[in-house]
Amino acid sequence: MNVHNLRGLNGLLGVKERDMMAASQATFKLGIQFSNWGKQGDSYIHPFGAYGYTMGGISFLQIWHKFRELGDRRPIQAFNVETLAAHFGKFSKAEDFKRDDLPPVNYAYHLDAGRYAAFLRKVAEGRGVVRQEGRVCDTVLDSETGYVTSIKLESGEELSGDLFIDCSGFRGLLIEQALQSGYEEWTHWLPCDRAVALPCNRDDGSPPAPYTRATAHSAGWQWQVPLQHRNGNGHVYCSAHMSNDEAHDILVNNLAGKPTADPNFLRFVTGHRKKFWNKNVVALGLSAGFMEPLESTSIHLINTGIDKLMAMLSLDGITPSMEATYNRLTAKEYARIRDFLILHYHATSRDDSEFWNYCRTMSVPDTLQEKMDLFQANGLIFREEDELFTETSWAAVMMGQGIAMQGHNPVADTLDQRETLGELNEMEKSIRFLVQNMKDHGEYVRQYCPAAA
């Protein structure tokens, strides 16, 4: 579970990248490879960087489409450094070359979430945070306000507080069991409700790839996350169309090596709490909601939840405006991520199973349909406020799964053709130079942040 804004969180905490990556057996992640989603046999990469850059005040997609119509057959991927580097198993940072004429390299991390959590715990305790373990057996509410005043542990100890952060997972001990905040379910759009996780070795000795693999199967999809010493794997599936045993067999038969643990079966309901902040309780992580790890958004949502909470903290107490604003902004963020995930399932021509027939023909939210219609008409993608996914993200999935641009912005036709073509050629040349001179990803990781075996 990882997304590129994790770099910002680590920077805020003053955590050194090398130390974090070594402690969590991390590798670099340039994007996600999707196989068998639009149709079986197809594959594309959703990169973390942009396709080209704005030219003449309009999106690069518009320029690219104009030259496609003029006969330029270069794919859009030729103008994205992360896609090409991922394809060739390369990685370096642009600053490694000490040149200012090269494009930036945008990346995230593949990491062992348990080891990352242990690393952050060590950092926190080193700065004076006191960690106290215990099983919560009761919650005490104020009889007048309904606020949580304290939680009781099985040990008999009672912990009081003014503000509580509920990180208790799917159960939502405070946000749901105590305050009954309610849950908005999205399984009619995202029908997968089960997962089985299973780590494995890389028995062939292959280096870790600088991207995640997401391979669609008959009733869901499989992830492969390459860490330094092993792969993380899982199969997300829909229990209405696939049994646990079948899902486990598909996963085991598509591993890169011998499993290193017993399978872990998980159940989930896609959606979110109707209130993320209720009275004096703020839910973060799985207690706030869940959307499958198709685009590695769980840590992102924790991060942005922390950001909003920090911005609203006040010594003057909790106000209704704080609660309402936090809930409104968080619900909007969940909905935008929801639409992006639905796009992966709905934009498909697969008809080989009941699951894919349902996904292909289901009604989708109006907000998503609008995005698809605008893109198909002339490549328009509007990124609303600070939503996570960029124009390139939306374009990569739409084009990768068969939604093609039918036209482009007429402003593209007003640009000087020779001058613009020269700029495209230079752009492609600099990207090619950068990728050709990058190190192999495995070699870069071994030199930069080797983890103990």
Side-chain angles (χ1 to χ4, degrees):
M1 303 180 61
N2 30 71
V3 81
H4 39 296
N5 72 341
L6 185 61
R7 295 167 60 189
L9 175 62
N10 289 329
L12 177 66
L13 297 175
V15 169
K16 293 182 179 178
E17 183 180 70
R18 292 173 187 261
D19 296 341
M20 181 279 294
M21 294 187 69
S24 56
Q25 294 191 352
T27 61
F28 292 99
K29 175 178 177 179
L30 296 169
I32 306 171
Q33 180 193 68
F34 290 95
S35 299
N36 301 331
W37 284 84
K39 60 183 179 181
Q40 288 179 301
D42 277 2
S43 179
Y44 69 92
I45 287 177
H46 164 203
F48 287 157
Y51 291 140
Y53 49 77
T54 300
M55 300 172 67
I58 58 174
S59 161
F60 181 78
L61 285 170
Q62 309 298 325
I63 307 298
W64 172 78
H65 187 271
K66 174 221 172 102
F67 278 91
R68 289 285 284 187
E69 289 191 332
L70 293 173
D72 191 326
R73 307 319 298 170
R74 284 176 291 188
I76 191 75
Q77 293 82 5
F79 302 98
N80 178 264
V81 64
E82 292 82 10
T83 299
L84 293 185
H87 178 77
F88 290 105
K90 299 289 198 71
F91 182 83
S92 288
K93 301 177 184 181
E95 54 264 36
D96 295 335
F97 294 89
K98 296 181 173 59
R99 288 176 51 172
D100 58 8
D101 62 336
L102 298 177
V105 179
N106 297 275
Y107 64 89
Y109 310 105
H110 299 118
L111 50 80
D112 183 313
R115 291 176 183 269
Y116 180 58
F119 173 78
L120 291 183
R121 172 185 171 182
K122 185 177 179 180
V123 171
E125 291 178 337
R127 298 177 184 178
V129 174
V130 177
R131 182 177 188 271
Q132 189 164 348
E133 289 194 27
R135 184 180 294 274
V136 177
C137 63
D138 195 15
T139 305
V140 181
L141 303 181
D142 184 278
S143 59
E144 294 185 4
T145 65
Y147 278 33
V148 175
T149 58
S150 63
I151 56 174
K152 293 182 178 179
L153 306 182
E154 286 184 344
S155 64
E157 189 168 3
E158 188 169 342
L159 304 175
S160 60
D162 298 316
L163 179 71
F164 290 84
I165 311 299
D166 188 339
C167 302
S168 60
F170 292 123
R171 293 177 297 168
L173 289 177
L174 303 184
I175 197 70
E176 189 61 47
Q177 293 187 19
L179 299 182
Q180 299 180 350
S181 300
Y183 198 81
E184 182 172 332
E185 184 178 329
W186 287 336
T187 52
H188 51 296
W189 287 316
L190 295 167
C192 290
D193 58 354
R194 299 285 190 275
V196 53
L198 188 61
C200 76
N201 294 320
R202 284 193 297 274
D203 291 341
D204 61 0
S206 60
Y211 56 89
T212 300
R213 287 189 174 96
T215 304
H217 293 303
S218 61
W221 62 279
Q222 176 182 341
W223 78 75
Q224 183 184 97
V225 175
L227 303 176
Q228 291 191 32
H229 301 306
R230 65 172 178 85
N231 281 352
N233 309 280
H235 186 186
V236 176
Y237 57 100
C238 176
S239 62
H241 297 283
M242 182 173 287
S243 69
N244 291 345
D245 288 343
E246 185 181 359
H248 175 260
D249 289 345
I250 290 173
L251 177 60
V252 171
N253 290 332
N254 288 280
L255 295 181
K258 183 179 179 181
T260 57
D262 293 329
N264 182 22
F265 287 89
L266 308 167
R267 296 185 176 200
F268 57 86
V269 178
T270 301
H272 65 75
R273 303 290 173 201
K274 292 182 178 178
K275 286 188 175 182
F276 305 93
W277 185 330
N278 193 354
K279 301 185 185 300
N280 66 331
V281 173
V282 179
L284 292 176
L286 298 179
S287 61
F290 182 79
M291 284 182 283
E292 60 185 79
L294 184 59
E295 287 282 355
S296 308
T297 51
S298 295
I299 290 180
H300 165 80
L301 288 168
I302 294 172
N303 189 7
T304 57
I306 293 171
D307 286 345
K308 288 193 287 287
L309 179 58
M310 287 178 60
M312 293 183 184
L313 284 178
S314 169
L315 296 177
D316 297 326
I318 297 168
T319 67
S321 294
M322 287 180 183
E323 186 179 334
T325 300
Y326 186 96
N327 286 329
R328 176 176 57 83
L329 294 177
T330 305
K332 186 181 293 185
E333 184 172 31
Y334 267 76
R336 286 171 179 164
I337 292 174
R338 174 205 67 192
D339 285 359
F340 191 60
L341 299 186
I342 296 171
L343 173 65
H344 295 66
Y345 288 99
H346 183 61
T348 183
S349 61
R350 288 190 62 163
D351 59 1
D352 53 290
S353 69
E354 292 183 9
F355 173 82
W356 288 109
N357 282 334
Y358 171 81
C359 293
R360 190 186 71 255
T361 59
M362 67 181 174
S363 298
V364 299
D366 292 342
T367 46
L368 172 58
Q369 189 63 55
E370 179 184 286
K371 264 194 163 67
M372 295 168 63
D373 291 344
L374 284 173
F375 181 80
Q376 189 166 30
N378 60 3
L380 278 179
I381 297 172
F382 290 104
R383 186 168 182 260
E384 300 179 36
E385 298 173 2
D386 60 346
E387 70 171 290
L388 171 60
F389 294 107
T390 65
E391 178 190 64
T392 290
S393 296
W394 285 97
V397 177
M398 289 199 210
M399 291 193 291
Q401 297 191 201
I403 301 178
M405 292 172 59
Q406 301 301 317
H408 58 258
N409 191 313
V411 174
D413 297 326
T414 69
L415 302 180
D416 183 273
Q417 185 171 321
R418 176 176 293 184
E419 182 178 320
T420 305
L421 179 59
E423 196 165 348
L424 289 181
N425 293 339
E426 287 300 314
M427 187 187 307
E428 183 191 17
K429 181 180 176 181
S430 64
I431 290 173
R432 191 186 311 120
F433 171 86
L434 181 56
V435 173
Q436 287 175 342
N437 288 278
M438 284 179 169
K439 293 182 179 180
D440 289 334
H441 174 239
E443 178 187 355
Y444 193 98
V445 169
R446 285 192 299 274
Q447 293 179 1
Y448 182 74
C449 55

